[in-house]
Amino acid sequence: MQMSDIPFGVTDWSQIERTEHKGDSGMAYWRTRKFGPIRVRMVEYTPGYLADHWCVKGHVLLCTAGELHTELEDGRTFLLKAGMSYQVADDAEPHRSSTATGATLFIVD
């Protein structure tokens, strides 16, 4: 990831407009900032959330609260708890997220 032409800045995530994104079940609420080609998000998944698609976008994702289940298209599954992260490249391994209890994530992609 090349980061250039981004001056120092502070983000108060509580002041960023929240957008809603439906899953197959549950909801995702995103607060998004863009810095050139880089998207940075605080994402909240409601309890019972299941993504409505297999994602092929690369991410660096940090679980800050709750638990996140990530399933890869090849059948492998991973559980992230608060303080755990994952990283995956664009077009590398399709993945989708779910949570029984809810989760809050910080994502850079």
Side-chain angles (χ1 to χ4, degrees):
M1 170 185 332
Q2 179 67 36
M3 296 176 66
S4 58
D5 298 319
I6 303 171
F8 179 85
V10 174
T11 301
D12 179 350
W13 289 100
S14 69
Q15 299 300 308
I16 305 300
E17 180 181 349
R18 185 174 87 160
T19 59
E20 295 184 352
H21 305 266
K22 285 187 174 185
D24 272 351
S25 61
M27 293 291 295
Y29 299 103
W30 298 9
R31 297 178 192 272
T32 305
R33 296 281 319 266
K34 291 279 290 187
F35 303 97
I38 299 168
R39 179 176 65 173
V40 180
R41 297 177 285 158
M42 289 291 292
V43 175
E44 298 171 55
Y45 290 150
T46 62
Y49 176 81
L50 172 63
D52 66 352
H53 66 285
W54 289 96
C55 182
V56 295
K57 180 75 177 128
H59 315 285
V60 175
L61 179 150
L62 171 66
C63 181
T64 63
E67 291 186 351
L68 179 71
H69 295 266
T70 300
E71 177 184 6
L72 302 186
E73 196 172 44
D74 67 11
R76 289 179 289 157
T77 61
F78 301 88
L79 172 64
L80 273 68
K81 297 181 179 186
M84 297 175 71
S85 65
Y86 76 70
Q87 56 285 325
V88 63
D90 289 335
D91 302 311
E93 296 177 277
H95 51 281
R96 69 177 173 182
S97 297
S98 65
T99 178
T101 60
T104 303
L105 314 168
F106 182 80
I107 305 170
V108 178
D109 53 22

